[in-house]
Amino acid sequence: MSAQHEAGAATIHRVVILGAGYAGLSAAIQLASRVGPGENVRVTLVNAQERFTERLRLHMTASGQRLAELSIPELLEGTGAHFERGWVTAVDVNAKTVRIDDERVLPYDTLVYALGGVADTAAVPGVEDHAYTLNSAQDAEVLADRLSRLGRGTVVVVGSGLTGVESAAEIAERHPELNVVLLGRSEPGAAMNPKARAYVRAALDRLKVEVRSGAEVVKVLPGTVEVAGGESVAADAVLWTSGTRVSPLASAAGLTVDEHGRIVTDAALRSVSHPEVYAVGDAAAIRQGYGVMHGTCQSGMPTGVHAALSILRELKGKRPKPFRFGYYHTPVSLGRHDAVVQFTHPDDSPRRLHLTGRVAVRYKETVTAAPWPTWGRMKKMPASGVFWPRGGRFTRVREA
Ligand SMILES: Cc1cc2nc3c(=O)[nH]c(=O)nc-3n(C[C@H](O)[C@H](O)[C@H](O)COP(=O)(O)OP(=O)(O)OC[C@H]3O[C@@H](n4cnc5c(N)ncnc54)[C@H](O)[C@@H]3O)c2cc1C
């Protein structure tokens, strides 16, 4: 990798990071904090909003709770990283530029692609037009407004994955006047051990969430959700949390993507087709010994840190190391007063150990609140960001 851009006598290597979520911010802070004054690396972080979106808390926003104002430019202060607010509309991998808001063009030497993912609203007819999502803070606020004006009515939460469970519980707790129905293919907590799963079910029952498992939603219409087999469920509001979709920008740019549109990476997190592009977080298809990782915050932050370290190694003429990660927990909130934490093996399969009740609530809150102070520490002491579980024998199978 060579520095491209002349600035006076020095050459500047331009690293552009797209997306200031959990993964992109980890990459930006780790990289900018490690770059010394003599290294001539310019880090630019691009994001749609200046306010950090705490995706882990969007179900709280949707049920009418206010979140802290976390400013991305303020967090970057002192690191030397530049913040560019705007919506990325195209990536040109041949010209090595990104287009922002269809008007500005930003050149790069190395790109870090961290645009995340959202619920898949395109898979089932009617979802785009008639369902609410938690795809952004604004979307969650629109749903909160609708719920606050519903009075007595029925909210159908589609998707019995963890986002669906957390959302149904949170809405039921904050709006006891509403009927909340949780519709999905699998049992809530299906990936947990039997005791933890039973705890989730009991908590949902206590909150009077009506759980309908084994349901395949085939259409969403105004006021109704149609389920395979002909059944219809009346709904005054539908929240769609099912599936994952990523931005089409990577595929449109000609980067190699998987069947979900995620950028396929090599062991060091570089695009297999364009090695000057790193892909991290939910937007990347990263293979480990146990399979392709699924997007989470716990894995997204390490991918960002690893990309930053790899870029620095390449700038020093060294080979980047393979990324290794093993999952360790699945913390799930069940409203504000209850939670379950399922501890996992590195491949994300459940261990016997799990926490419930107040201890789990405290654990979940600690984990959810951790990214901001973690980045604050990383600014002062970049090495503090490099500790995460590598997965042991589960990930010890391949070379860079
Ligand atoms: C309600 C909810 C609860 C969750 N709970 C957990 C949990 O408990 N534990 C866990 O590990 N995971 C949880 N997740 C999943 C977790 O939020 C994601 O895995 C994580 O956010 C992925 O991080 P990321 O940096 O890849 O993407 P994101 O955090 O989504 O960040 C992507 C950023 O890119 C920006 N962006 C996207 N497109 C563009 C564009 N074209 N131009 C400019 N900017 C753009 C977005 O605005 C955003 O700021 C939860 C998700 C939800 C919705």
Side-chain angles (χ1 to χ4, degrees):
M1 190 183 290
S2 62
Q4 308 285 321
H5 179 67
E6 296 289 334
T11 53
I12 306 277
H13 189 92
R14 299 157 302 186
V15 180
V16 173
I17 299 168
L18 303 183
Y22 296 97
L25 262 170
S26 299
I29 291 173
Q30 182 66 213
L31 182 59
S33 305
R34 279 182 187 263
V35 170
E39 293 200 43
N40 291 318
V41 178
R42 182 183 167 92
V43 180
T44 304
L45 178 62
V46 184
N47 199 59
Q49 320 81 8
E50 283 190 9
R51 184 181 176 182
F52 175 64
T53 300
E54 277 192 283
R55 285 186 73 77
L56 308 191
R57 295 192 195 271
L58 285 184
H59 55 302
M60 295 166 64
T61 307
S63 60
Q65 298 166 71
R66 286 185 70 83
L67 304 185
E69 294 279 339
L70 302 173
S71 155
I72 297 166
E74 272 176 34
L75 179 69
L76 295 180
E77 269 171 25
T79 64
H82 299 261
F83 180 71
E84 185 91 24
R85 181 186 170 163
W87 186 254
V88 182
T89 48
V91 176
D92 185 333
V93 289
N94 297 318
K96 291 194 181 174
T97 56
V98 295
R99 189 168 279 278
I100 300 169
D101 289 334
D102 268 335
E103 52 191 29
R104 279 167 287 157
V105 172
L106 208 58
Y108 66 83
D109 300 305
T110 301
L111 187 70
V112 180
Y113 189 99
L115 293 180
V118 292
D120 188 0
T121 50
V124 169
V127 176
E128 296 270 9
D129 296 327
H130 308 301
Y132 295 84
T133 67
L134 301 183
N135 288 351
S136 68
Q138 291 81 352
D139 292 336
E141 281 161 11
V142 172
L143 174 58
D145 183 54
R146 170 78 176 142
L147 296 182
S148 70
R149 290 185 288 105
L150 258 188
R152 291 181 181 278
T154 299
V155 182
V156 174
V157 178
V158 182
S160 47
L162 301 180
T163 304
V165 169
E166 290 195 327
S167 302
E170 202 80 31
I171 293 169
E173 186 180 88
R174 297 290 290 197
H175 293 283
E177 74 284 5
L178 294 172
N179 293 325
V180 181
V181 180
L182 178 59
L183 266 188
R185 294 189 189 105
S186 53
E187 269 290 297
M192 296 181 167
N193 75 38
K195 280 190 177 165
R197 192 185 321 140
Y199 192 91
V200 170
R201 185 55 194 260
L204 292 171
D205 289 348
R206 179 173 44 76
L207 289 164
K208 299 194 169 46
V209 174
E210 186 187 330
V211 177
R212 297 207 193 169
S213 309
E216 179 78 33
V217 173
V218 291
K219 203 172 200 175
V220 178
L221 297 160
T224 318
V225 174
E226 281 187 13
V227 180
E231 193 198 350
S232 295
V233 182
D236 298 290
V238 177
L239 168 59
W240 191 264
T241 69
S242 181
T244 311
R245 179 165 53 89
V246 298
S247 164
L249 289 178
S251 144
L255 290 149
T256 299
V257 296
D258 72 353
E259 67 278 18
H260 304 293
R262 297 176 300 178
I263 296 176
V264 179
T265 73
D266 67 9
L269 306 185
R270 295 169 299 197
S271 152
V272 291
S273 58
H274 296 79
E276 69 284 2
V277 178
Y278 281 80
V280 295
D282 285 10
I286 301 167
R287 184 166 286 283
Q288 296 286 309
Y290 48 78
V292 176
M293 287 165 58
H294 65 93
T296 59
C297 173
Q298 63 172 305
S299 55
M301 291 178 67
T303 62
V305 171
H306 189 86
L309 297 175
S310 298
I311 291 167
L312 289 171
R313 283 182 72 83
E314 286 201 284
L315 285 171
K316 289 177 183 151
K318 296 181 184 167
R319 279 180 75 192
K321 294 182 178 170
F323 176 73
R324 293 176 57 199
F325 174 82
Y327 295 96
Y328 47 98
H329 65 195
T330 306
V332 183
S333 65
L334 299 164
R336 288 302 86 204
H337 309 291
D338 205 355
V340 176
V341 179
Q342 171 68 69
F343 292 99
T344 66
H345 296 286
D347 63 355
D348 213 24
S349 59
R351 292 180 188 271
R352 279 171 62 187
L353 182 64
H354 66 277
L355 306 175
T356 56
R358 284 169 60 184
V359 185
V361 171
R362 274 204 293 277
Y363 185 106
K364 167 77 179 173
E365 177 52 28
T366 305
V367 169
T368 305
W372 208 255
T374 298
W375 291 320
R377 267 194 310 279
M378 223 193 273
K379 277 166 65 170
K380 298 189 191 104
M381 205 184 1
S384 66
V386 306
F387 299 102
W388 65 83
R390 262 53 177 185
R393 65 184 169 82
F394 285 82
T395 59
R396 211 176 284 136
V397 293
R398 56 183 203 151
E399 292 297 311

